[in-house]
């Protein structure tokens, strides 16, 4: 009776729990009362391991769910530009029928901007594609600000195929317009320079706007 109560029964309970885990595919704790000896401590260690593993599984499931939600949000955000791009193509076609040349050209530039902006969902693009995004963006800004600025490009040929994170230049040229050119109130230059250095691709954005204080 002693052996059955303190050795055989606890070992059988441990074995049943392990078999249940194999059958159900989910880690199950040992709920039976265990003696206060080596077998009991083994059961406590087993339960601690089970709790830890279940916590890891739940954490992985949450992370997987968050990843799926993030992927859905990315897809949702891409749908909106695609819809806008397709709508712009329709309007451009109507402008061609009405012989509205300026409207057609503006829509074509905006469509090109969004097509390059989407880049088939890629996060890294060749530097040449990034330049086209900037050129289209500045062309669209000229529709609003007229001849208030001229954009210039000094680009080494070896830089064009260099892979860069998408939209690394657009915020910089936008700042040149809104915090430099626009405030000066006279014609300015925005210059994009790209060359290769020992560290890799070196790009600079220069403008002749109002500038900034030394501070």
């Amino acid at each position: 009776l002693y052996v059955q109560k303190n050795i055989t029964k606890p070992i059988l309970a441990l074995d049943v729990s392990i078999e249940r885990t194999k059958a159900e595919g989910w880690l199950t704790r040992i709920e039976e009362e265990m003696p206060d000896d080596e077998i009991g401590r083994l059961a406590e260690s087993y339960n601690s391991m089970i709790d830890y593993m279940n916590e890891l599984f739940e954490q992985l499931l949450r992370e997987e769910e968050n990843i799926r939600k993030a992927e859905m949000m990315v897809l949702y955000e891409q749908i909106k530009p695609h819809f806008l791009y397709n709508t712009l193509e329709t309007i451009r076609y109507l402008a061609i029928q009405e012989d509205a040349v300026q409207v057609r050209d503006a829509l074509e530039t905006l469509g090109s901007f969004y097509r390059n902006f989407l880049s088939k969902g890629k996060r890294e693009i060749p530097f040449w594609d990034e330049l086209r995004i900037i050129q289209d963006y500045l062309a669209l800004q000229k529709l609003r600000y007229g001849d208030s600025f001229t954009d210039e490009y000094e680009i080494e040929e070896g830089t064009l195929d260099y892979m860069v994170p998408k939209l690394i230049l657009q915020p910089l040229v936008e700042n040149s317009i809104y915090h430099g050119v626009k405030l000066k109130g006279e014609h300015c230059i925005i210059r994009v320079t790209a060359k290769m250095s020992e560290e890799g691709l070196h790009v600079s954005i220069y403008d002749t706007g109002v500038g900034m204080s030394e501070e």
Side-chain angles (χ1 to χ4, degrees), residues 23-36:
E24 298 177 358
W26 191 254
L27 301 180
T28 307
R29 300 177 90 258
I30 300 174
E31 301 296 344
E32 288 81 358
E33 184 178 353
M34 291 289 172
D36 186 18

Side-chain angles (χ1 to χ4, degrees), residues 105-118:
D105 292 343
L107 289 171
E108 188 171 353
T109 302
L110 185 57
S112 175
F113 173 80
Y114 268 100
R115 182 168 56 250
N116 292 318
F117 169 78
L118 291 173

Side-chain angles (χ1 to χ4, degrees), residues 47-58:
N47 283 341
S48 296
M49 181 189 69
I50 293 299
D51 292 339
Y52 178 69
M53 294 296 293
N54 283 335
E55 184 179 344
L56 286 180
F57 288 151
E58 291 176 358

